[in-house]
Amino acid sequence: MVVGEAKLNFPGPPARPGGAPDFSLIEVPEPGVLPVPPLDIDAEASEPFAKGMIRVLDDAGNAVGPWADGMGSLDPAHCVQGLIDMLRMRIIDQRLLNAQRQGKSSFYLQCTGEEAIGCAFQRQLSPGDMNFPTYRQQSLLIAADYPLAALMGQIYANDCDPTEGRQLPTMHSSRDYGFFSISGNLGTQYVQAVGWAMANALSRNGQIAAGWIGDGATASNDFHSALLTASVYQPPVILNIVNNQWAISTCTAIAAGASRTYAERARGYGVPALRVDGNDYLAVAAVSRWAVERTRSGLGPVAIEWFTYRTAAHSTSDDPNAYRPRDEAAMWPLGDPVERLKAHLIGRGIWSEQQHAQKQAELFDEIVTTQKEVEQHGTFVNPRPFSPAKIFEGVYAHLPDHLRRQRQEMGY
Amino acid sequence: MPTMTMIEAIRDALDVKLADDPGVVVFGEDVGFFGGVFRCTAGLQKTHGIERVFDTPINESAIVGLGVGMAAQGMKPCVEIQFADYMYPGFDQISQEAARLRHRSNQQFTCPLVIRMPTGGGIYGGQTHSQSPEALFTHVAGLKVVVPSNPYDAKGLLIAAIEDPDPVIFLEPKRIYNGPFYGHSAGEAAGWSSRPEAQVPEGRYTVEIGKAAIRRPGSAITILAYGTMVFIAEEAVRQTGIDAEIIDLRSLLPLDHAAIVQSVEKTGRCVVIHEATRTSGFGAELAAEVQEACFWHLKAPIQRITGWDAPYPLAAEWDYFPSPQRLGRALIRAMED
């Protein structure tokens, strides 16, 4: 036995600003290798799926392997819809980022590079199912066909905002579109998704819930609480982990420690877990469909690690060039979800560069038109505020006397 | 009408609501098969089934977090935190999630969740089984906070809490679970059967959240108390012979402002008593409310009798726990001013 000195480990990313991006430690398995497991797979048998990575699209844009042809996700209309959803998402992100830069909102947060995950997942859900998203899952709303005016109104905190200016931009809430009110406190909603799913099972309503958490917030106690209680009570919940490599400036190794994958961590709780190429729309769609079917069939929870990269800054308050190489995103080995699906569709002859450019222009016009209309209702630089007395509405179902007195003291 | 202890009254309230409303579920550590370490849920799993009354892992943030999710989806969870001292891991879920959900979602989602927890000292529990964290909850907008002091109120307030559309923190003064406590630490405990408040009607009834009760009408001075301190106040009045009006607040948030003002305007004097530490304790809020509303009626400074600003002790418990003697001295001082 070699005897040495105790020495602490302080994990860091492979490269910092000024250095060359280095993803050599990331293993990218060949697409099409992993089979489609039986719906009732248990945690033990899910080991290869938690350690490996389910991928469908190869580098040439071909859909390969059992996940490609087994889940019906190659339907042309479905694929084109996916591309349009992602394009729409990307343009909206860009427009709202610009609006923040112009001072029209106080804050924005993009999901660039991660569009495939929310867009493909949402299209597999049914009305009544509920997501418990983080603030980077606005793509769920896009693929749920959430009204754009409501989404933008929330950013501008004007009267198009269904939550009437109560929350930081991007903290959306829509019961009708299966999008639980975002807290902004990381992790807390992961275990609430389990509770919601338990209520689904107790009331036998056939609905499922989906929890969402980032790789950084897997460090929170709520990650443990959610995985443990999902394992104990076996409710119909899908526990999604979006591993985008960065938690503001903190690299994923600080949350992962010496563990290999987050899916493996979930599997340690006795929850079957899979790891998926999150930049591969077809893989996301196929695995989501499989997970939804499993969960709705009463076969218990499942955890999915979506492996991706946060291309944009954490938020408009963040500058990633201060902590990672400027060109790291361009070197991400799993590519860009929009480009990959586009190449696939063109390769199949059901899409073309011309159609792509035309669709992009159409979406741009539609989004800009709506944006201009919504901005007429007020922006951060040109506010048309709600009555401040609104802050007293909904603290409780019925306004108690002490709040009535405070509202009067405020002058209303 | 049957006589009940507070434990039996709480169990009865849960039993009534479990039978009444299929959305009510009860869970927490040891609450299922065993029926809770204080026996408040004994027999409920057998009566109502394991889907309605069940055990959880030792994880307060999970207990509350599951409750938030279930409540938002339309159920009526009534969860137990084994001791109030254990609630801290769940405080994030209580203060940032349960309390805010209705407001931040503009009423798309709500959280009709009840969180029961035994509170207070006097049971030789040391620092982790004796705390009174009520002021941490009353500082959170969106919560309701109630503290019953007897079996009748415990049942009526708990049913009201379960039927309430918003999250309610239900603090159970554990020292008086089995009988009133008059501060005689060495003497034998009195049972509830000696008290009229132990007469508990069968079936459903409610005690309105937000309404205080006058436990003893008086004209000389107002004592504001809740939980176990109501009985300490009774004993101090017996020992001093001062004609004090004892107000049992029952609900700290919302607070029965009118009842407090009415009494202090009548008596012109006020003493506040609670077990919790003094600095930034709920007594500070009460004293501020009273001086704002009743300043020109006051004939003496408002005094606070509280636990000391030190961790709750084991060996020195009876020097820490507010005694009838300490309260009595405050009453005498107030009458001399």
Side-chain angles (χ1 to χ4, degrees), chain B residues 38 82-85 117-123 129-134 137 146-148 170-177 226-228 275:
Chain B
F38 288 103
Q82 197 161 78
F83 283 81
D85 316 59
M117 56 186 92
T119 187
I123 63 147
H129 303 81
S130 308
Q131 293 170 34
S132 300
E134 63 271 15
F137 298 119
V146 300
V147 194
F170 192 86
L171 296 164
E172 301 169 3
K174 64 178 98 67
R175 186 62 188 81
I176 54 174
Y177 263 153
Y226 48 92
T228 306
E275 296 178 52

Side-chain angles (χ1 to χ4, degrees), chain A residues 166 173 181 200 233 396, chain B residues 55 73 97 103-104 108 143:
Chain A
R166 280 174 168 77
S173 175
S181 159
N200 287 342
Y233 301 114
Y396 299 94
Chain B
D55 291 320
Q73 174 58 325
E97 302 291 329
H103 190 262
R104 75 168 195 243
Q108 291 174 358
L143 295 180

Side-chain angles (χ1 to χ4, degrees), chain A residues 380-411:
Chain A
F380 199 57
V381 280
N382 179 28
R384 287 173 50 191
F386 300 97
S387 165
K390 286 249 180 235
I391 70 162
F392 296 109
E393 286 178 17
V395 182
Y396 299 94
H398 310 289
L399 190 72
D401 283 343
H402 71 286
L403 287 188
R404 192 181 309 280
R405 287 196 300 274
Q406 289 177 27
R407 194 183 65 189
Q408 286 162 356
E409 192 181 330
M410 193 195 220

